[in-house]
Amino acid sequence: MQKKVIVSWLLMMMFWISACGAPAPAAEAPEAAQPAEAAEALTPQAGGEIVVAYKDDLATLDPAIGYDWTNWPTIKMVFDGLLGYDSGTTLEPRIAAEMPTVSEDGLVYTFKIRPGVKFSNGREVTADDVVYTLTRVLNPATASPGAGFYVGIQGAQAFIDGSAATVEGIQALDAQTVAFTLTAPDATFLNKMALNFAFLVPQEAVEAAGQDFGRQPVGTGPFTLVEWKSGEYLVFERNPAYFQPGRPMLDKVTIRVGVEPSVAVLQLEKGDIHLMGDPPPGAEWARITADPAWTDRIEVQPKVNTTYIAINTTTPPFDNVKVRQALNHAIDKERIVQLLNGRASVANQILPALMPGHDDTYEGYAFDPEKAKALLAEAGFADGFETTIQCIAVDPQPKLCESFQQDLANVGIQLTIETLAAPNVIENAGNGLNPLTWSGGLAWTQDYPDPDNFYAPILGCDANVPGGWNWSRYCDEELHAQSKELLAMTDRAARLEAYKPFFRTLMDAAVWVPVIADQYNVAHSEKLHGQPLLTHPEHGFIYETMWMEP
Amino acid sequence: MWRYLARRLVLTLPVLLGISIITFVLIYYLPADPARMYAGPSATVETVDRIRRELGLDLPLWQQYTNYLGKLVQGDLGFSYRKQTPVLELILSRLPYTAMLIVSGIFVELALGLPIGLASALARGRLPDRLGMLVALLGVSAPPFWLGLMLLYWFAFQIPIFPLGGVEHPTSIVLPALTAGLGGAAWYARIMRSSTLEVLAADYVRTAHAKGQSRHLVLWRHLLPNALNPIITMAGMDIPWFIGGVVLVEQVFAWPGLGRLAVEAIQTVDVPLILGTVSVTALIVVLSGILVDLVQSLVDPRIRLSR
């Protein structure tokens, strides 16, 4: 015991000495997102291992089931799909040998499978695996949250209803070729094929594991799971049979769970861990961003996300568009960014800046309380009114809602704040019970980089049903018809251009107050690098390309 | 005594049944949809409905409950929605850690609290008393979450004697046990002090002194057994208190216990896991009540367990 303490003391002193001695060149580096530049200066090296710390336990690694921030990037360690993304938002083939061919009418997509791709159990991937994987996701017995993405495949509905034993629109043409037939053209179909839900699983392993497949995953990804101690840690090792040459770089990744972010910061400083799964707590942020030792330990990247106030357009007085516009002028978004210690950027429209189709020339509603008052007067509410907003009871959201309360008081609106647990806010908003709902902590982050993903599931007519995510209870039949036409357009550039007036119409209708865009705030060891970054707008962490300086 | 024990154990059944009914009804009327939580934001309403049917959440309340009960009597606590693992397996994997934390927490409480309280009482009004009670006041006032972070910062980060959370190392238990036990130790010190002072003023102690018994003998034979009585009651009641209180300690120290599992279950509306953790916790609380009665009858012959 005594010896151990002395040894730890010595180690600690060495750590401090090295910490004091080493960072001189790094400290001179200019500020902001230069981890990427710093990484370029160094040559990526294979080998090494890292420890990652998360607050929440991992739920499952089954790609058909896992659907939250913790398991989404982790599933990508073990599994892979036909398609993926380059370092940006452009689709690229992965297990597919090349991008699929599309029929003239936009209904049939034919994929060729890359030869020689193997599952970690040693068996080679065939077209039947693609058929099995997608059929499994659609099978009601799987209870996959992703099933809805694939109901546009021909025969999917019949299969779900039980009137067909197989999905007619998914066919293995030969061992290396698989074809999907859709019921209507869908420009986002390939994005859906790049989602985790479509990541390939081998039938024999799924059936052998039964309901435990999420804990005994077998996939084609860069790593394999070697140990999972519930509530403590997961250990992943490099998959030597991985089909991408030279990948992954790391030999081993350990994910520790249940680590409080404030403790994880200490663990990172001490060198116990190399990457924080959660952002550093707000209270620590001011300290570490001011500390030169942390310059190379922070990566900031915008998320493809908009955090907004959903205005229930069916509840008076918000059925009046002028009142909704007044709200847009009344909210001081800059102050929200300040309240978040600068860890967000102001949003002026529904689509986030990183989303294709974002309108750079659109200016949005300026912060102008006088104009808000004038609009309220025009609408017949010169003396204001009383209303309610629901926020989740997790810091800092109630604080942000208090800021809205103050803003609205300035224009004569008395706002009552109701703070509830996240599931309750979702339930109330989804059933149209809230006049206003703050989406902070629940905000819509894309599933795939297509503008439709910011319309259909959250502002479209199909989502305007009890329990749906259209919290504005908004449905414009004309826009809805237009959205279907947009989905059928095959010229991508023209299509993205057409979304600009589409979303302007929604902004004119003022169905939301878009407030901020969230960002990744990643704390990591200065020796851990990404290519080019640790995070990716689509995937979150990309473990496949991470590497450690020796 | 055995008959008493058997009767008490049989009586726990209606208690547990009642608790399971209350929990079930509370979750059922909770304004949160477990199917929606499972399905995630992008799922269409049809998908959510399908998942609801698949999980059996579309059935009427009584039917859901009888289904649950039917499985329960076969020892099946159900299957966690989110973790896709049998609830019993999850609980059994976490229970030893919580038990370890509770036992070591109570140990810290008693090992620190009793000597301080006793010393304070024996040195009543003098410096050790004042000092002991000041420390006790600080201990009672410190919130466990803050105390845990402070202990970690000083004794794992600045002076790296202990690991920064987790359970891998044999010394991992020390800081969580201190965090869990320090507040209680302060309470025990205060109770032990007043209880000792009360006994010190009792006639039989004066008589013992008058008989010429040594101070030592009076302390061990007359004073302590009588002063310990309220302590045993308290220690028994501590187990339920701890089960609630260790949640925070488990969170600070990444301790894979039952409390963290329950909080996670509630946050994600994982119905079978909520029911499972609540039922097992209730069982532990009821059993610890029986245990206290037994220990008390052993320590104090005046207490007899009624048949």
Side-chain angles (χ1 to χ4, degrees), chain B residues 186-203:
Chain B
W187 276 114
Y188 280 108
R190 289 159 70 125
I191 290 167
M192 187 66 190
R193 179 176 180 274
S194 60
S195 165
T196 310
L197 287 176
E198 206 175 290
V199 179
L200 272 176
D203 290 342

Side-chain angles (χ1 to χ4, degrees), chain A residues 9 57 59 65 67-68 140 143 145 148 160 211 215 229 231-232 258 263 266-267 270 423-424 427 444 447 465 467, chain B residues 31-33 36 38-39 42 45 47 50 54 79 82-83 85 94 97 152 156-157 159 164 167 252 254 256 260 264:
Chain A
W9 265 102
D57 198 356
I65 309 287
Y67 197 15
D68 62 45
I160 290 169
Q211 282 184 295
R215 305 200 145 239
K229 198 117 192 270
E232 291 182 49
V263 178
L266 296 181
Q267 293 184 341
K270 200 179 154 194
N424 306 19
E427 181 74 3
W444 189 257
D447 290 304
V465 285
Chain B
D33 181 358
R36 168 52 82 183
Y38 176 96
S42 298
V45 175
T47 309
R50 230 172 7 249
E54 199 54 44
F79 204 77
R82 215 178 97 82
K83 293 181 178 279
T85 310
R94 304 296 187 93
Y97 290 107
L152 271 181
F157 180 68
I159 311 167
L164 264 168
V167 289
V252 180
R260 242 177 61 204
E264 252 174 68

Side-chain angles (χ1 to χ4, degrees), chain A residues 133-455:
Chain A
T133 299
L134 270 300
T135 308
R136 175 172 181 259
V137 169
L138 285 166
N139 190 340
T142 312
S144 169
F149 289 115
Y150 308 102
V151 288
I153 298 173
Q154 200 169 59
Q157 200 56 52
F159 173 73
I160 290 169
D161 297 340
S163 56
T166 54
V167 184
E168 192 196 331
I170 314 175
Q171 295 287 345
L173 303 181
D174 59 49
Q176 298 291 313
T177 317
V178 62
F180 290 87
T181 311
L182 309 185
T183 50
D186 178 2
T188 64
F189 179 68
L190 293 182
N191 295 117
K192 291 170 182 170
M193 289 306 292
L195 289 173
N196 281 9
F197 299 115
F199 281 12
L200 301 187
V201 296
Q203 182 168 7
E204 68 276 13
V206 174
E207 282 167 2
Q211 282 184 295
D212 226 15
F213 184 67
R215 305 200 145 239
Q216 300 164 22
V218 176
T220 56
F223 295 90
T224 53
L225 176 74
V226 291
E227 195 190 353
W228 185 339
K229 198 117 192 270
S230 172
E232 291 182 49
Y233 57 83
L234 297 91
V235 181
F236 298 87
E237 278 174 10
R238 186 172 196 279
N239 174 9
Y242 187 48
F243 69 93
Q244 302 265 48
R247 298 273 170 84
M249 312 292 284
L250 296 168
D251 287 336
K252 187 174 161 189
V253 177
T254 304
I255 296 184
R256 274 191 210 162
V257 297
V259 185
E260 202 49 47
S262 45
V263 178
V265 170
L266 296 181
Q267 293 184 341
L268 187 69
E269 289 193 282
K270 200 179 154 194
D272 284 0
I273 64 165
H274 308 93
L275 181 63
M276 272 181 73
D278 307 280
E284 294 276 359
W285 187 251
R287 173 179 76 84
I288 60 181
T289 43
D291 185 347
W294 275 81
T295 314
D296 287 339
R297 290 188 194 150
I298 295 170
E299 176 178 306
V300 171
Q301 193 181 206
K303 272 187 196 168
V304 192
N305 146 291
T306 305
T307 310
Y308 55 93
I309 300 172
I311 308 174
N312 187 337
T313 56
T314 60
T315 312
F318 298 119
D319 50 352
N320 186 329
V321 67
K322 288 207 162 78
V323 176
R324 303 200 296 263
Q325 289 171 339
L327 235 55
N328 269 279
H329 282 298
I331 301 294
D332 184 356
K333 301 172 185 177
E334 292 286 352
R335 193 171 59 215
I336 298 296
V337 173
Q338 282 167 16
L339 284 170
L340 293 169
N341 295 320
R343 296 202 283 176
S345 52
V346 165
N348 69 352
Q349 56 189 292
I350 293 169
L351 289 186
L354 279 184
M355 175 61 92
H358 173 90
D359 192 343
D360 296 334
T361 57
Y362 181 71
E363 284 176 1
Y365 295 88
F367 171 53
D368 187 349
E370 289 311 314
K371 193 156 183 195
K373 276 189 215 166
L375 279 165
L376 283 176
E378 274 178 53
F381 293 98
D383 299 328
F385 55 87
E386 289 178 19
T387 189
T388 311
I389 191 166
Q390 284 202 347
C391 317
I392 68 164
V394 175
D395 186 61
Q397 309 309 336
K399 201 165 67 182
L400 305 186
C401 280
E402 281 167 25
S403 173
F404 300 146
Q405 190 178 39
Q406 208 179 328
D407 289 339
L408 294 190
N410 287 340
V411 299
I413 302 172
Q414 274 190 46
L415 184 67
T416 308
I417 302 170
E418 290 177 2
T419 51
L420 294 168
N424 306 19
V425 174
I426 293 170
E427 181 74 3
N428 291 333
N431 287 304
L433 302 177
N434 301 347
L436 300 174
T437 309
W438 169 236
S439 80
L442 310 164
W444 189 257
T445 301
Q446 58 151 21
D447 290 304
Y448 44 82
D450 189 277
D452 184 65
N453 198 224
F454 266 78
Y455 170 75

Side-chain angles (χ1 to χ4, degrees), chain B residues 1-23:
Chain B
M1 191 180 101
W2 292 111
R3 274 185 58 190
Y4 168 82
L5 197 62
R7 205 170 59 104
R8 281 290 300 266
L9 283 175
V10 170
L11 278 177
T12 59
L13 287 178
V15 173
L16 292 178
L17 201 68
I19 288 169
S20 74
I21 291 175
I22 294 171
T23 321

